[in-house]
Amino acid sequence: YSSYDIHIANDIDMSGKTWVPIGKDAQHAYKGTVNGGGYTVSNLTSANYGEENLAFVGVAGSGAYVKALHLKNIDFHSNKRCVSGIIADVTGAATITDCSVEGKLYTGDNYAGGLVGVVSTASSKLTVENCAVNAEIYAANHSAAGIIAGDTAEEHVESDLSTFPTIEAKNVFVTGNFEAVNRVGS
């Protein structure tokens, strides 16, 4: 279902249910559109403490687009890396617009981000626009942030900006508490 479009048609209360992210790894990255329609998905939780890439969309590949999705009272906890509200790991060109995240995000490892956990390839391009985050974000090791926790593109050449992912963010409002051993920011 990696390229299927998802349209949310009503508010959804996920109380008592466990969330399994869309797009489980780079080989099965989600490349479609999630159109939240301005609706709210509330009480979203996950019991996958041993899984990485925990978010609404676990891994997003080129073409992934999440718009008008509101997550309220989410509670994502994992002992592995990359925990976020909207997308845990961006591996291609992805866009997030008109979304909001409210809740708790915890990783026992690295990369806890309000909207995105990590952008993982130098060729990745992420656009974030008109979004809001109000969350408690905690990374036991490093990288906790309100928008994007970090990148792991290992091809970096310090003097060559083309070896870094492209990230554009406009009109993003962030509040909450962020904590990590190092690399903490909005």
Side-chain angles (χ1 to χ4, degrees):
Y1 305 103
S2 67
S3 298
Y4 280 60
D5 292 339
I6 298 167
H7 298 273
I8 297 174
N10 293 298
D11 289 336
I12 300 171
D13 184 350
M14 294 290 292
S15 295
K17 296 174 178 62
T18 299
W19 180 250
V20 176
I22 301 164
K24 72 176 192 172
D25 55 35
Q27 292 76 31
H28 302 93
Y30 182 70
K31 299 172 186 170
T33 297
V34 175
N35 182 350
Y39 292 105
T40 300
V41 178
S42 59
N43 304 310
L44 200 59
T45 61
S46 178
N48 292 334
Y49 297 107
E51 296 292 324
E52 63 181 39
N53 301 325
L54 178 57
F56 193 85
V57 175
V59 179
S62 288
Y65 182 25
V66 182
K67 64 181 180 178
L69 175 65
H70 305 292
L71 304 179
K72 183 177 181 181
N73 195 32
I74 66 170
D75 190 1
F76 287 157
H77 283 69
S78 177
N79 293 327
K80 300 287 185 171
R81 64 188 282 284
C82 294
V83 175
S84 179
I86 304 293
I87 300 172
D89 186 355
V90 175
T91 63
T95 303
I96 301 170
T97 60
D98 303 312
C99 293
S100 65
V101 174
E102 180 185 315
K104 297 177 184 176
L105 303 162
Y106 171 92
T107 175
D109 196 6
N110 306 321
Y111 306 111
L115 296 172
V116 174
V118 69
V119 180
S120 63
T121 63
S123 61
S124 295
K125 179 178 182 185
L126 174 64
T127 303
V128 178
E129 196 168 356
N130 302 324
C131 294
V133 175
N134 181 10
E136 292 179 31
I137 301 172
Y138 177 80
N141 288 324
H142 68 74
S143 301
I147 302 172
I148 303 160
D151 76 86
T152 59
E154 295 179 9
E155 306 88 17
H156 292 321
V157 175
E158 195 169 313
S159 61
D160 184 358
L161 291 179
S162 69
T163 63
F164 288 81
T166 303
I167 300 170
E168 297 176 4
K170 295 183 201 176
N171 301 321
V172 181
F173 182 73
V174 177
T175 59
N177 297 313
F178 317 128
E179 185 179 342
V181 174
N182 59 37
R183 299 182 193 162
V184 178
S186 63

